[in-house]
Amino acid sequence: MSFAIEVPGEAAPLTPQQVYLALQCASSSQQLSIQTGTQQLQTWETQRGYYPLLQAVYLDKTLPSEIRYLAIIQLKNGIDKYWRKTATNAIQPEEKAQIRSQLLDGGIREVETNLALQNALVVAKVVRIDYPLDWPDVLTSLIKILRTVNHTNQLQLRRGMLILLQVIKELSTARLRTSQIRLQSVAPEIVFLLNEIYTEKVATWVGFFNGNGDDEGGAMDAMENSLFAIKILRRLLIAGYEYPNHSKDVQQLWEHSQHQFGQFLDMVSHDPPVLVSPAKDLVEKHLVQFSKLHAQMANSHPAAFALLPSSLDLVRAYWGLVAKFGQLYGSESQDFSSNTRRDDTDKDERPVMEKLCLKGLNILRACLKMVFSPVQSFKYKTPEVKVEQQEAVALVKTQLLTDELVGQVASVIVTKFFVFRQVDLQAWEEDADEWEVREEGGGDTWEFEVRPCSEKLFMDLVINFKHLLVQPLLSFFQSVAGTNETTVVTKDAVYTAMGLSAPVVFQNFDFDSFLRSTLVNDVQQTGPGYKVLRRRIAILLGQWITIKVSEENRPLVYQIFQHLLEREDETNDHVVRITAARQFKAVCDDFSFDPDGFLPYAQDILHKLLQLMEEVTTEIRMPILDTIRAIAVRLEHRISQFADEIVSILPSLWESSGEEHLIKQAILTLMSTLVTAMKEQAQRYHAMILPLIQRAVEPGSEMQVYLMEEALDLWLTILTQTPSPASPEVLTLAECAFPLLEIGSDNLRNVLNIVDSYILLAPEAMLDNAVRQRLFAYMTNLLGVSKRELAGLVTAIVENMVRTVEALGGSNGVTQVANDLHESGYTEKIFEGLRDAWEAHQTIGPGRRYPKLDDVVETDYFTILARVALADPSVFVTVMSSAGDVTEVWRWLSTEWFRHFDSMANIDRQKLSCLALTRLLELPPPMTPIILERLQDYFAMWASVISEMIGGRDDGGDNLIWLANEGNEFEGPEDVRRRLHAGRDPVHTIHTFNFVKERLGQMVAICGGEEAFRRDWVVNVDKDVLAGFQDLGTKKNDSAAFWQPQE
């Protein structure tokens, strides 16, 4: 079925038939119909009446399920986009009211589970936004419905609790205090009702399984409804109470949960079985909900957990469960020669006992955290609450975490949960690469796997009970030292504990001796199972290398990794070699790593890493590239001799990575590291690198989206390490920077740095007429950029251009630059900003206005003007004339300039402005009298700046004049360019005192001599200002001004 797509501007009021036809097309199996229907639905999204009609389609049970399902999905998506009042094209209030009026009933009476779930999600999203202001009675209505259908219709009861579950889920995620208080205000009533429903339903199905009644269907309904009830209850007990232990209802439920936890556990673990699926599955789900409640209470409300009835007994019961499970979990009867495979149907299934034990381990961790690492909060707590929390901590510390329990937990973890199991071996054999990636997974995955969770708990115990566990651990470690009689599984468990406890036991355990006597021997053993031990040894060395491995044993560590990376050794399968490659990064990153000591092993290890790179999947190439990069970073310039082999595999890696842009990012980052280390020697790779950069920064390309940041870093690194003169290929690439200046993205900082580097690297090319004018136009557009760092870069670029043009073209060059600055609008923006600042500073009192420019930006503006004035005062006058009458401009500009001196935080900028303003004294009449109107400001400026320049020294020098600097061996090509460029800066070459003395003497002569100068101009200067200025000179004749020649 096809129809023309209507656009909102042409559409008449929608009808249910139109919406139905569009939904029918969108749910078709034909691609063209799907596209047509989807486009039409998207067109209607902002049209009035669309969302009530979607709901009407969903509520019409005569329509096909797939149409109704698509309708409710569209409604849910529309709520995300348009339900909030602040949204563009928001749904109208009357339409919202119409939709709300049918949401609850439409969910309660829905038969199909997937449709009911989607409707419940819609209700939850609406409640999150509208409760309680626009939909105040939603929760009371739900409670009323649940009470009504509890004894009349079990399906509708289940649907009602499904809605309530989604609503509570949504409300419990709120972080605003007001939202939390609203939920807490209704929680007790909902808890009371659900507790009533839950107790009744559990009694029904427990009675049935105990032989009381024959209504199996009713028992199964009761099980599903009690499961919904406990799902909601466990969330409400966590999110609905600020202090759960203060509520009698919560205390009662808490005790009830413990009693039923034991009861249900007996039912599912009874031998012979008393339950079969699906009843057994539902009881197990009840158990999991209880365990989630216990674990979440321990983590979210630790003090309440400790103070709730029988909680410490509950933790001990969980530990008993964990210890019992450990007997089955950690069996040492592995068959390493077996090639058995697991049944695919069981691969992803986890027994309920494992889930419960995971929660038990998490609860133990929470108890340790409560005592030793409590969560800090800014929330106000009453003195009573603080005392209560202290009591909870003391209770857990003294009555639960006893020496006996801590010892038991540590022992079971090491001897049972650290054991390498047959199932682990089977997973390794089935897909080695996938297993290795899963085992190395970081983040929060530890919460869902027994072994990683046990490792976390073990580390907590060792850190906080060092006095108790160190000696038993040392004895345990010594049991495997220097012997081959211990099984592979036992050694793997011991080495796991040894690695995790390294930060605690290093002062008591001689790992260096252990390395020489035991690890060297173990790593050379071959045969079934020894690949497991080799993997563990690689991890162990990665853990200890940063803790305590002596300098003389470092070569031994390198040799072990050489051995573990050896492809020809059959015991070194992919997992062993990949693990060694990962862990060697820790060896390189260690602070004590000696590049010269590693150099004899570098070529072999790098060769083996590169070999491995070509054998593994894309996902595993990332950590190997990280390791190679770490080696390059630590070897610095020494990497040059191995760089050709590294670079040789990169093109094939780039091509084979396809759409895996993470690999491309890693390759570009590695190239940046190599270029930085090799400096100018990296020019031999430019032919390969430059085209990649050009493709990666091309506007509109897919590569730009993913690779821009890394490509710009590499580009900037190349410019930094390229000696002058640059090759034509490097200069041609500069053209690619201009489009990036228009984008204004987060990468603008790097783009501006690249432009700045080009100005220093190839000044003639970058100051060519066409390039220079484009650059000034872009800098003008960026002049008002808000980020301080970027604004500083824009100023630095223009400042360097002015200086470079002066050096290359003299006065003519400065004239041309001034003209470019004017034509691009740059100087116009500067004068506008400074004029606004001057006007603002003229205002006082209640009507005082603040300037648009902050002090730092204003300093930047004066810096550019100072560079032009210092280069050529007459050009500066021309620049002023572009802003209006020169006399008028000078008067307000000089007023603001002299006023701003105290706000210049950088003494270099003060000296620059001082030199520039002093050069204006060279201007001939008619500018002379105009300039001299500010003579008092000049004297005050000279006194301030010169005193800074000569302060603290008695040799008559200038503090900002740099001594000759020959650089050092670690400088790169751009470091040299920047050093020479800064060394030629007048700020660092001109003696301020002598410069002022010379110009002032010339001015006195122009004015007709000292007597005329004093009579006509100095007479207007404040005596204190003049005295402070005259005190700067060392005079033989105190009556003479210091600018006069001394006898």
Side-chain angles (χ1 to χ4, degrees), residues 1030-1045:
Q1030 289 180 325
D1031 285 345
L1032 295 172
T1034 302
K1035 304 173 289 294
K1036 296 178 181 178
N1037 182 1
D1038 291 343
S1039 64
F1042 84 80
W1043 62 79
Q1044 293 178 318

mmCIF file with all atom_site columns, all heavy atoms in Angstrom, residues 1030-1045:
data_model
loop_
_atom_site.group_PDB
_atom_site.id
_atom_site.type_symbol
_atom_site.label_atom_id
_atom_site.label_alt_id
_atom_site.label_comp_id
_atom_site.label_asym_id
_atom_site.label_entity_id
_atom_site.label_seq_id
_atom_site.pdbx_PDB_ins_code
_atom_site.Cartn_x
_atom_site.Cartn_y
_atom_site.Cartn_z
_atom_site.occupancy
_atom_site.B_iso_or_equiv
_atom_site.pdbx_formal_charge
_atom_site.auth_seq_id
_atom_site.auth_comp_id
_atom_site.auth_asym_id
_atom_site.auth_atom_id
_atom_site.pdbx_PDB_model_num
ATOM 1   N N   . GLN A 1 1030 ? 62.805 61.345 38.406 1.00 0.00 ? 1030 GLN A N   1
ATOM 2   C CA  . GLN A 1 1030 ? 64.194 61.796 38.421 1.00 0.00 ? 1030 GLN A CA  1
ATOM 3   C C   . GLN A 1 1030 ? 65.068 60.946 39.325 1.00 0.00 ? 1030 GLN A C   1
ATOM 4   O O   . GLN A 1 1030 ? 66.273 60.823 39.097 1.00 0.00 ? 1030 GLN A O   1
ATOM 5   C CB  . GLN A 1 1030 ? 64.240 63.266 38.868 1.00 0.00 ? 1030 GLN A CB  1
ATOM 6   C CG  . GLN A 1 1030 ? 63.695 64.224 37.812 1.00 0.00 ? 1030 GLN A CG  1
ATOM 7   C CD  . GLN A 1 1030 ? 63.749 65.668 38.266 1.00 0.00 ? 1030 GLN A CD  1
ATOM 8   O OE1 . GLN A 1 1030 ? 63.568 65.940 39.451 1.00 0.00 ? 1030 GLN A OE1 1
ATOM 9   N NE2 . GLN A 1 1030 ? 63.998 66.583 37.338 1.00 0.00 ? 1030 GLN A NE2 1
ATOM 10  N N   . ASP A 1 1031 ? 64.481 60.334 40.339 1.00 0.00 ? 1031 ASP A N   1
ATOM 11  C CA  . ASP A 1 1031 ? 65.256 59.494 41.254 1.00 0.00 ? 1031 ASP A CA  1
ATOM 12  C C   . ASP A 1 1031 ? 65.783 58.224 40.582 1.00 0.00 ? 1031 ASP A C   1
ATOM 13  O O   . ASP A 1 1031 ? 66.626 57.515 41.142 1.00 0.00 ? 1031 ASP A O   1
ATOM 14  C CB  . ASP A 1 1031 ? 64.401 59.088 42.458 1.00 0.00 ? 1031 ASP A CB  1
ATOM 15  C CG  . ASP A 1 1031 ? 64.219 60.259 43.423 1.00 0.00 ? 1031 ASP A CG  1
ATOM 16  O OD1 . ASP A 1 1031 ? 64.979 61.234 43.293 1.00 0.00 ? 1031 ASP A OD1 1
ATOM 17  O OD2 . ASP A 1 1031 ? 63.306 60.180 44.272 1.00 0.00 ? 1031 ASP A OD2 1
ATOM 18  N N   . LEU A 1 1032 ? 65.242 57.911 39.377 1.00 0.00 ? 1032 LEU A N   1
ATOM 19  C CA  . LEU A 1 1032 ? 65.697 56.707 38.692 1.00 0.00 ? 1032 LEU A CA  1
ATOM 20  C C   . LEU A 1 1032 ? 67.137 56.822 38.232 1.00 0.00 ? 1032 LEU A C   1
ATOM 21  O O   . LEU A 1 1032 ? 67.853 55.831 38.130 1.00 0.00 ? 1032 LEU A O   1
ATOM 22  C CB  . LEU A 1 1032 ? 64.795 56.420 37.468 1.00 0.00 ? 1032 LEU A CB  1
ATOM 23  C CG  . LEU A 1 1032 ? 63.332 56.084 37.772 1.00 0.00 ? 1032 LEU A CG  1
ATOM 24  C CD1 . LEU A 1 1032 ? 62.537 56.024 36.482 1.00 0.00 ? 1032 LEU A CD1 1
ATOM 25  C CD2 . LEU A 1 1032 ? 63.235 54.762 38.515 1.00 0.00 ? 1032 LEU A CD2 1
ATOM 26  N N   . GLY A 1 1033 ? 67.593 58.071 37.890 1.00 0.00 ? 1033 GLY A N   1
ATOM 27  C CA  . GLY A 1 1033 ? 68.938 58.269 37.354 1.00 0.00 ? 1033 GLY A CA  1
ATOM 28  C C   . GLY A 1 1033 ? 69.981 58.393 38.445 1.00 0.00 ? 1033 GLY A C   1
ATOM 29  O O   . GLY A 1 1033 ? 69.744 58.948 39.517 1.00 0.00 ? 1033 GLY A O   1
ATOM 30  N N   . THR A 1 1034 ? 71.161 57.903 38.180 1.00 0.00 ? 1034 THR A N   1
ATOM 31  C CA  . THR A 1 1034 ? 72.290 58.099 39.095 1.00 0.00 ? 1034 THR A CA  1
ATOM 32  C C   . THR A 1 1034 ? 73.033 59.331 38.610 1.00 0.00 ? 1034 THR A C   1
ATOM 33  O O   . THR A 1 1034 ? 73.612 59.326 37.521 1.00 0.00 ? 1034 THR A O   1
ATOM 34  C CB  . THR A 1 1034 ? 73.222 56.879 39.079 1.00 0.00 ? 1034 THR A CB  1
ATOM 35  O OG1 . THR A 1 1034 ? 72.471 55.736 39.445 1.00 0.00 ? 1034 THR A OG1 1
ATOM 36  C CG2 . THR A 1 1034 ? 74.371 57.081 40.044 1.00 0.00 ? 1034 THR A CG2 1
ATOM 37  N N   . LYS A 1 1035 ? 72.966 60.432 39.381 1.00 0.00 ? 1035 LYS A N   1
ATOM 38  C CA  . LYS A 1 1035 ? 73.452 61.733 38.882 1.00 0.00 ? 1035 LYS A CA  1
ATOM 39  C C   . LYS A 1 1035 ? 74.614 62.237 39.738 1.00 0.00 ? 1035 LYS A C   1
ATOM 40  O O   . LYS A 1 1035 ? 74.568 62.148 40.960 1.00 0.00 ? 1035 LYS A O   1
ATOM 41  C CB  . LYS A 1 1035 ? 72.309 62.756 38.908 1.00 0.00 ? 1035 LYS A CB  1
ATOM 42  C CG  . LYS A 1 1035 ? 71.088 62.286 38.118 1.00 0.00 ? 1035 LYS A CG  1
ATOM 43  C CD  . LYS A 1 1035 ? 69.923 63.220 38.291 1.00 0.00 ? 1035 LYS A CD  1
ATOM 44  C CE  . LYS A 1 1035 ? 69.347 63.118 39.701 1.00 0.00 ? 1035 LYS A CE  1
ATOM 45  N NZ  . LYS A 1 1035 ? 68.750 61.822 39.981 1.00 0.00 ? 1035 LYS A NZ  1
ATOM 46  N N   . LYS A 1 1036 ? 75.590 62.782 39.069 1.00 0.00 ? 1036 LYS A N   1
ATOM 47  C CA  . LYS A 1 1036 ? 76.655 63.463 39.808 1.00 0.00 ? 1036 LYS A CA  1
ATOM 48  C C   . LYS A 1 1036 ? 76.185 64.844 40.236 1.00 0.00 ? 1036 LYS A C   1
ATOM 49  O O   . LYS A 1 1036 ? 76.596 65.374 41.244 1.00 0.00 ? 1036 LYS A O   1
ATOM 50  C CB  . LYS A 1 1036 ? 77.919 63.587 38.930 1.00 0.00 ? 1036 LYS A CB  1
ATOM 51  C CG  . LYS A 1 1036 ? 78.528 62.240 38.574 1.00 0.00 ? 1036 LYS A CG  1
ATOM 52  C CD  . LYS A 1 1036 ? 79.739 62.396 37.680 1.00 0.00 ? 1036 LYS A CD  1
ATOM 53  C CE  . LYS A 1 1036 ? 80.333 61.054 37.306 1.00 0.00 ? 1036 LYS A CE  1
ATOM 54  N NZ  . LYS A 1 1036 ? 81.485 61.193 36.398 1.00 0.00 ? 1036 LYS A NZ  1
ATOM 55  N N   . ASN A 1 1037 ? 75.344 65.410 39.417 1.00 0.00 ? 1037 ASN A N   1
ATOM 56  C CA  . ASN A 1 1037 ? 74.804 66.733 39.722 1.00 0.00 ? 1037 ASN A CA  1
ATOM 57  C C   . ASN A 1 1037 ? 73.329 66.583 40.029 1.00 0.00 ? 1037 ASN A C   1
ATOM 58  O O   . ASN A 1 1037 ? 72.528 66.337 39.132 1.00 0.00 ? 1037 ASN A O   1
ATOM 59  C CB  . ASN A 1 1037 ? 75.019 67.667 38.526 1.00 0.00 ? 1037 ASN A CB  1
ATOM 60  C CG  . ASN A 1 1037 ? 74.503 69.076 38.817 1.00 0.00 ? 1037 ASN A CG  1
ATOM 61  O OD1 . ASN A 1 1037 ? 74.010 69.346 39.909 1.00 0.00 ? 1037 ASN A OD1 1
ATOM 62  N ND2 . ASN A 1 1037 ? 74.624 69.958 37.829 1.00 0.00 ? 1037 ASN A ND2 1
ATOM 63  N N   . ASP A 1 1038 ? 72.972 66.700 41.308 1.00 0.00 ? 1038 ASP A N   1
ATOM 64  C CA  . ASP A 1 1038 ? 71.598 66.456 41.709 1.00 0.00 ? 1038 ASP A CA  1
ATOM 65  C C   . ASP A 1 1038 ? 70.618 67.442 41.107 1.00 0.00 ? 1038 ASP A C   1
ATOM 66  O O   . ASP A 1 1038 ? 69.426 67.202 41.079 1.00 0.00 ? 1038 ASP A O   1
ATOM 67  C CB  . ASP A 1 1038 ? 71.464 66.492 43.240 1.00 0.00 ? 1038 ASP A CB  1
ATOM 68  C CG  . ASP A 1 1038 ? 72.157 65.305 43.879 1.00 0.00 ? 1038 ASP A CG  1
ATOM 69  O OD1 . ASP A 1 1038 ? 72.425 64.350 43.143 1.00 0.00 ? 1038 ASP A OD1 1
ATOM 70  O OD2 . ASP A 1 1038 ? 72.427 65.369 45.094 1.00 0.00 ? 1038 ASP A OD2 1
ATOM 71  N N   . SER A 1 1039 ? 71.113 68.569 40.650 1.00 0.00 ? 1039 SER A N   1
ATOM 72  C CA  . SER A 1 1039 ? 70.207 69.574 40.105 1.00 0.00 ? 1039 SER A CA  1
ATOM 73  C C   . SER A 1 1039 ? 69.875 69.316 38.642 1.00 0.00 ? 1039 SER A C   1
ATOM 74  O O   . SER A 1 1039 ? 69.021 69.964 38.074 1.00 0.00 ? 1039 SER A O   1
ATOM 75  C CB  . SER A 1 1039 ? 70.823 70.971 40.258 1.00 0.00 ? 1039 SER A CB  1
ATOM 76  O OG  . SER A 1 1039 ? 72.017 71.066 39.494 1.00 0.00 ? 1039 SER A OG  1
ATOM 77  N N   . ALA A 1 1040 ? 70.586 68.395 38.019 1.00 0.00 ? 1040 ALA A N   1
ATOM 78  C CA  . ALA A 1 1040 ? 70.364 68.132 36.594 1.00 0.00 ? 1040 ALA A CA  1
ATOM 79  C C   . ALA A 1 1040 ? 69.418 66.952 36.415 1.00 0.00 ? 1040 ALA A C   1
ATOM 80  O O   . ALA A 1 1040 ? 69.451 65.994 37.182 1.00 0.00 ? 1040 ALA A O   1
ATOM 81  C CB  . ALA A 1 1040 ? 71.697 67.839 35.906 1.00 0.00 ? 1040 ALA A CB  1
ATOM 82  N N   . ALA A 1 1041 ? 68.602 67.021 35.378 1.00 0.00 ? 1041 ALA A N   1
ATOM 83  C CA  . ALA A 1 1041 ? 67.714 65.904 35.036 1.00 0.00 ? 1041 ALA A CA  1
ATOM 84  C C   . ALA A 1 1041 ? 68.543 64.767 34.471 1.00 0.00 ? 1041 ALA A C   1
ATOM 85  O O   . ALA A 1 1041 ? 69.577 64.983 33.832 1.00 0.00 ? 1041 ALA A O   1
ATOM 86  C CB  . ALA A 1 1041 ? 66.664 66.365 34.029 1.00 0.00 ? 1041 ALA A CB  1
ATOM 87  N N   . PHE A 1 1042 ? 68.044 63.542 34.656 1.00 0.00 ? 1042 PHE A N   1
ATOM 88  C CA  . PHE A 1 1042 ? 68.913 62.414 34.289 1.00 0.00 ? 1042 PHE A CA  1
ATOM 89  C C   . PHE A 1 1042 ? 69.057 62.267 32.778 1.00 0.00 ? 1042 PHE A C   1
ATOM 90  O O   . PHE A 1 1042 ? 69.958 61.598 32.290 1.00 0.00 ? 1042 PHE A O   1
ATOM 91  C CB  . PHE A 1 1042 ? 68.386 61.113 34.919 1.00 0.00 ? 1042 PHE A CB  1
ATOM 92  C CG  . PHE A 1 1042 ? 67.304 60.425 34.118 1.00 0.00 ? 1042 PHE A CG  1
ATOM 93  C CD1 . PHE A 1 1042 ? 67.621 59.639 33.026 1.00 0.00 ? 1042 PHE A CD1 1
ATOM 94  C CD2 . PHE A 1 1042 ? 65.964 60.559 34.476 1.00 0.00 ? 1042 PHE A CD2 1
ATOM 95  C CE1 . PHE A 1 1042 ? 66.638 58.990 32.308 1.00 0.00 ? 1042 PHE A CE1 1
ATOM 96  C CE2 . PHE A 1 1042 ? 64.989 59.920 33.755 1.00 0.00 ? 1042 PHE A CE2 1
ATOM 97  C CZ  . PHE A 1 1042 ? 65.304 59.140 32.668 1.00 0.00 ? 1042 PHE A CZ  1
ATOM 98  N N   . TRP A 1 1043 ? 68.152 62.881 32.006 1.00 0.00 ? 1043 TRP A N   1
ATOM 99  C CA  . TRP A 1 1043 ? 68.291 62.721 30.553 1.00 0.00 ? 1043 TRP A CA  1
ATOM 100 C C   . TRP A 1 1043 ? 69.403 63.604 29.982 1.00 0.00 ? 1043 TRP A C   1
ATOM 101 O O   . TRP A 1 1043 ? 69.780 63.467 28.834 1.00 0.00 ? 1043 TRP A O   1
ATOM 102 C CB  . TRP A 1 1043 ? 66.966 63.038 29.860 1.00 0.00 ? 1043 TRP A CB  1
ATOM 103 C CG  . TRP A 1 1043 ? 66.483 64.443 30.055 1.00 0.00 ? 1043 TRP A CG  1
ATOM 104 C CD1 . TRP A 1 1043 ? 66.906 65.568 29.417 1.00 0.00 ? 1043 TRP A CD1 1
ATOM 105 C CD2 . TRP A 1 1043 ? 65.492 64.864 30.980 1.00 0.00 ? 1043 TRP A CD2 1
ATOM 106 N NE1 . TRP A 1 1043 ? 66.251 66.680 29.871 1.00 0.00 ? 1043 TRP A NE1 1
ATOM 107 C CE2 . TRP A 1 1043 ? 65.359 66.273 30.837 1.00 0.00 ? 1043 TRP A CE2 1
ATOM 108 C CE3 . TRP A 1 1043 ? 64.714 64.218 31.921 1.00 0.00 ? 1043 TRP A CE3 1
ATOM 109 C CZ2 . TRP A 1 1043 ? 64.468 67.029 31.599 1.00 0.00 ? 1043 TRP A CZ2 1
ATOM 110 C CZ3 . TRP A 1 1043 ? 63.822 64.969 32.643 1.00 0.00 ? 1043 TRP A CZ3 1
ATOM 111 C CH2 . TRP A 1 1043 ? 63.693 66.368 32.504 1.00 0.00 ? 1043 TRP A CH2 1
ATOM 112 N N   . GLN A 1 1044 ? 69.880 64.526 30.831 1.00 0.00 ? 1044 GLN A N   1
ATOM 113 C CA  . GLN A 1 1044 ? 70.957 65.380 30.368 1.00 0.00 ? 1044 GLN A CA  1
ATOM 114 C C   . GLN A 1 1044 ? 72.283 64.626 30.465 1.00 0.00 ? 1044 GLN A C   1
ATOM 115 O O   . GLN A 1 1044 ? 72.480 63.805 31.363 1.00 0.00 ? 1044 GLN A O   1
ATOM 116 C CB  . GLN A 1 1044 ? 71.045 66.651 31.219 1.00 0.00 ? 1044 GLN A CB  1
ATOM 117 C CG  . GLN A 1 1044 ? 69.830 67.576 31.055 1.00 0.00 ? 1044 GLN A CG  1
ATOM 118 C CD  . GLN A 1 1044 ? 69.943 68.786 31.944 1.00 0.00 ? 1044 GLN A CD  1
ATOM 119 O OE1 . GLN A 1 1044 ? 70.348 68.651 33.107 1.00 0.00 ? 1044 GLN A OE1 1
ATOM 120 N NE2 . GLN A 1 1044 ? 69.614 69.965 31.407 1.00 0.00 ? 1044 GLN A NE2 1
ATOM 121 N N   . PRO A 1 1045 ? 73.243 64.885 29.558 1.00 0.00 ? 1045 PRO A N   1
ATOM 122 C CA  . PRO A 1 1045 ? 74.566 64.263 29.643 1.00 0.00 ? 1045 PRO A CA  1
ATOM 123 C C   . PRO A 1 1045 ? 75.232 64.597 30.960 1.00 0.00 ? 1045 PRO A C   1
ATOM 124 O O   . PRO A 1 1045 ? 75.197 65.736 31.411 1.00 0.00 ? 1045 PRO A O   1
ATOM 125 C CB  . PRO A 1 1045 ? 75.316 64.863 28.454 1.00 0.00 ? 1045 PRO A CB  1
ATOM 126 C CG  . PRO A 1 1045 ? 74.237 65.352 27.515 1.00 0.00 ? 1045 PRO A CG  1
ATOM 127 C CD  . PRO A 1 1045 ? 73.106 65.774 28.382 1.00 0.00 ? 1045 PRO A CD  1
#
